[in-house]
Amino acid sequence: MRSYHPDLTPPWKKSAPVPEVPAEPDLVVEEVTTGFCGAVTGCEAGTVTLEDRFGKHRVFPLAPRGFLLEGRTVTLVRPASGPARPSRTASGSVAVPGARARVARAGRIYVEGRHDAELVERVWGDDLRVEGVVVEYLEGVDDLPAVVRDFGPGPDARLGVLVDHLVPGSKESRIAASVTDAHTLVVGHPYIDVWEAVKPSSVGIPAWPTVPRGQDWKTGVCRALGWPDNTGAAWQHILSKVTSYKDLEPALLGRVEELIDFVTAP
């Protein structure tokens, strides 16, 4: 007869159970020992491959309690066979199946032009609808101080502004510096145009061309790449290649996330 040996380990020394989470494609997790954060790109027997926002891949064992999901310790497991329901939005956020769009907040995010707005919608649209954030475009930022005054930001109506080509010494940087309202956040990316925020590899080109000063940048890009001089059609081609945050440069990703956090803060 087998003897019984009770577990005398004090409760405070016992490890609390953690949930098991299928390592579905595009699930974003952090490996606990290295801090490497990335999206799942593959899961073989006993290992999972993660890709970070810079396109770097690393393979990790499916160890118990080996990953953090939104700050919580989890155990990744190999997903069941068969098609899996997407668990992430294009921005990498947790998808909320069946979620209804929230009534629009008083706060807004302003971007410079239509292409900026379409790109933000492409990647963050699901998140913005859940949060009730509306994105509008300005057709340039020359009159930004007046636009901010007309909007009248306040504690319950914050304003976030995304500016193209926000680099030291630029006209855009001087305009942004003139906005000092406490309830307005102006951030930007370094690219001449938001087209450049799409990774060249996603578009299928080696790099974005250098366009001589004085030329229209979009038209110059089309000519350098051998595309027709139809910037509208060129943009639709570029936009069609964007399926998730992984197709965008980190310099844009971080700024949009910053704006969303700002306008939705309690």
Side-chain angles (χ1 to χ4, degrees), residues 25 27 37 92 96 100 120 138 158 161 171 189 214 234 263:
L27 180 73
C37 182
V96 185
R100 301 177 64 182
V120 169
L138 302 169
R158 296 186 178 195
V161 184
K171 175 192 74 173
H189 57 74
V263 300

Side-chain angles (χ1 to χ4, degrees), residues 57 100 149 178-179 250:
H57 291 78
R100 301 177 64 182
R149 286 195 301 271
S178 69
V179 177

Side-chain angles (χ1 to χ4, degrees), residues 192-209:
I192 295 174
D193 190 275
V194 78
W195 287 20
E196 280 191 292
V198 180
K199 290 180 179 178
S201 58
S202 296
V203 184
I205 59 177
W208 288 106

Side-chain angles (χ1 to χ4, degrees), residues 47-71:
T47 64
V48 62
T49 302
L50 303 182
E51 178 186 9
D52 70 8
R53 288 187 170 181
F54 303 98
K56 183 178 180 180
H57 291 78
R58 290 190 63 176
V59 179
F60 297 100
L62 291 174
R65 308 173 66 89
F67 298 87
L68 297 177
L69 175 61
E70 298 183 337

